[in-house]
Amino acid sequence: MGIFKKRNAERIAAPVTQLKNSRPFGIIDGYVPLGAPQYRLYYALREAVPLIDAAIFKIVRLTGGFKAECSDKRAQAALDDFISSVPVGGNRAGLAEFISTYFEQLLTCGTAVGEIVSNSSGAPAALFNAPLENIELKRNKNGFDIDIFVRDGAQLRRVQSPELCLLSVLNPDPGALAGNSMLKGLPFVSSVLLKIFESIGANWERVGNLRFAVTYNPKNDAVDRAYAKDRAMLVAKEWSEAMQSGSEIKDFVAVGDVRIQVIGADNQILDSNVPVRQMLEQIVAKTGIPPFMLGLSWSSTERMSSQQADALTSELEAYRRTLTPVIEKICAAFLKAEGYNCAAKIIWDDITLQDEVEQSKAMLYKAQAEKIMRGE
């Protein structure tokens, strides 16, 4: 049975003060930066702003694949089979699938927790991505290690096999146990962006679905004033029938002073290009993804695109350094359970061929410079 598997527990009722919000993503408006983990908020941001969701998946895919190498050929064959076929939940298999979900949780929440599920003999049989809602981290009594606790109803219980747990944090604050999400700082910006989109939708609903003001002005005589109400009701009835005719074209004919105007036709919709781009620039800057990789056709020179690609490469290398210890721990647990004494070395795939070319050019230029310095 998994360490982090939820158990049936008695529900505890407690009064909760909650603000009612008609917007589908009202949790974003109610965000208050108190420093506590806001996992539901971050997932709501991904659902509300497609650009954020696309950036996270883009980073996960751009991080690339990996392979584990060890000196023993028999151990290498067994390790390759384990990496490609280990169950990771649902209908997925393979260590790469587990790391993708693990990395996605790390980027979204700032903290990722997993578990190596062992069989009766103690060998790794599956990998499990643990949800963070029922997990709490506490500092060990030695003041250095971290203990993982699982919420069981109203109580917390410490995991019995911490050596099977996987824990990673992203950019933690000094002295903090949990990490910081890549989306930290975006709730306010995203809230402004959603308000702009919501107002654009409301305005286009008013302008696109035309509404008319039909005005009947009776003449200044006793007959028209006496039958003004009846004639107004007749005009309203005929106009309603004309509008409800569907695809059938029907004319509206009226006698007297009748004026028809489109409601809101004189008002202009505000230009949203500048404020929307300002908000998107903040989001793109936070994710570290070049704008052209997210489908944003902003003007950029060839050299600027090259510099953005170099910066992205540095970001991906930093993420790889965070994920490598997790992969090494999983491979080490498998090799130890199978009786092998060798260690696995994680080799990441090349990010792009362009990076290799640039590195080769840099090495060539450095060698030429050293040759000139030696006077050769």
Side-chain angles (χ1 to χ4, degrees):
M1 180 179 295
I3 297 176
F4 302 110
K5 189 170 293 183
K6 293 183 179 180
R7 296 184 178 181
N8 295 328
E10 182 181 357
R11 288 190 173 183
I12 300 178
V16 177
T17 302
Q18 184 177 3
L19 296 177
K20 184 177 180 181
N21 198 314
S22 59
R23 293 182 56 190
F25 304 106
I27 187 175
I28 299 176
D29 288 338
Y31 165 72
V32 179
L34 297 178
Q38 302 284 344
Y39 304 137
R40 291 180 57 191
L41 171 66
Y42 294 144
Y43 282 105
L45 279 178
R46 294 183 55 179
E47 184 179 357
V49 184
L51 187 71
I52 296 177
D53 194 55
I56 290 180
F57 281 116
K58 187 77 68 175
I59 292 175
V60 173
R61 288 192 295 267
L62 289 176
T63 304
F66 58 88
K67 59 182 178 180
E69 295 182 354
C70 53
S71 57
D72 192 338
K73 294 184 178 180
R74 294 179 57 189
Q76 182 69 54
L79 183 60
D80 290 341
D81 182 68
F82 171 78
I83 290 176
S84 61
S85 61
V86 57
V88 295
N91 57 352
R92 300 182 305 153
L95 181 56
E97 295 290 335
F98 170 80
I99 292 299
S100 296
T101 305
Y102 187 87
F103 187 27
E104 180 187 345
Q105 185 185 53
L106 180 63
L107 293 174
T108 305
C109 304
T111 305
V113 179
E115 176 189 354
I116 304 175
V117 182
S118 58
N119 53 23
S120 57
S121 60
L127 300 174
F128 176 69
N129 295 103
L132 299 179
E133 289 78 7
N134 60 327
I135 293 177
E136 186 170 335
L137 304 178
K138 292 186 177 182
R139 193 174 300 279
N140 192 277
K141 295 181 179 179
N142 59 17
F144 183 77
D145 296 330
I146 298 177
D147 294 334
I148 303 178
F149 288 80
V150 180
R151 190 175 304 279
D152 189 3
Q155 298 180 351
L156 291 175
R157 58 179 179 86
R158 187 175 179 269
V159 296
Q160 299 179 355
S161 302
E163 68 278 1
L164 298 178
C165 297
L166 306 170
L167 174 64
S168 298
V169 293
L170 183 65
N171 301 325
D173 296 330
L177 301 182
N180 291 315
S181 170
M182 186 188 70
L183 310 182
K184 182 180 179 180
L186 293 183
F188 172 74
V189 175
S190 301
S191 176
V192 175
L193 183 64
L194 291 179
K195 290 178 181 177
I196 297 175
F197 288 159
E198 187 179 7
S199 62
I200 292 175
N203 290 333
W204 275 103
E205 184 178 0
R206 296 188 185 100
V207 175
N209 188 9
L210 298 181
R211 290 159 172 83
F212 298 90
V214 182
T215 305
Y216 167 64
N217 296 320
K219 296 180 180 180
N220 192 15
D221 56 36
V223 177
D224 283 348
R225 289 197 300 269
Y227 294 95
K229 181 178 179 180
D230 296 336
R231 291 178 179 178
M233 296 297 294
L234 181 61
V235 169
K237 178 181 177 182
E238 294 297 330
W239 179 259
S240 178
E241 292 180 358
M243 291 293 100
Q244 295 177 4
S245 59
S247 60
E248 180 183 357
I249 299 177
K250 183 180 293 187
D251 296 329
F252 174 75
V253 181
V255 179
D257 188 4
V258 178
R259 291 185 301 173
I260 300 175
Q261 293 178 333
V262 178
I263 299 178
D266 297 334
N267 296 330
Q268 295 182 356
I269 299 178
L270 296 177
D271 186 9
S272 61
N273 290 330
V274 174
V276 167
R277 174 162 178 171
Q278 289 177 347
M279 299 300 105
L280 292 181
E281 285 176 348
Q282 301 295 321
I283 296 176
V284 171
K286 186 68 175 179
T287 60
I289 300 292
F292 64 87
M293 299 187 66
L294 296 173
L296 300 175
S297 57
W298 295 344
S299 60
S300 61
T301 62
E302 182 179 356
R303 181 169 181 82
M304 183 183 298
S305 300
S306 177
Q307 293 174 350
Q308 291 174 345
D310 292 340
L312 177 61
T313 302
S314 302
E315 292 283 342
L316 298 179
E317 291 291 346
Y319 290 138
R320 287 179 172 184
R321 290 193 295 269
T322 303
L323 296 176
T324 298
V326 177
I327 305 174
E328 290 178 344
K329 184 175 181 179
I330 296 174
C331 295
F334 172 78
L335 294 174
K336 182 179 179 180
E338 295 295 326
Y340 299 104
N341 295 324
C342 58
K345 182 180 180 181
I346 307 304
I347 307 297
W348 289 90
D349 298 339
D350 297 334
I351 296 177
T352 59
L353 182 60
Q354 181 182 1
D355 294 334
E356 292 297 319
V357 174
E358 296 297 333
Q359 290 178 5
S360 301
K361 288 182 179 180
M363 294 176 61
L364 176 61
Y365 296 155
K366 183 179 180 181
Q368 292 176 349
E370 292 177 352
K371 185 177 180 179
I372 295 174
M373 293 291 294
R374 293 194 301 266
E376 299 180 2

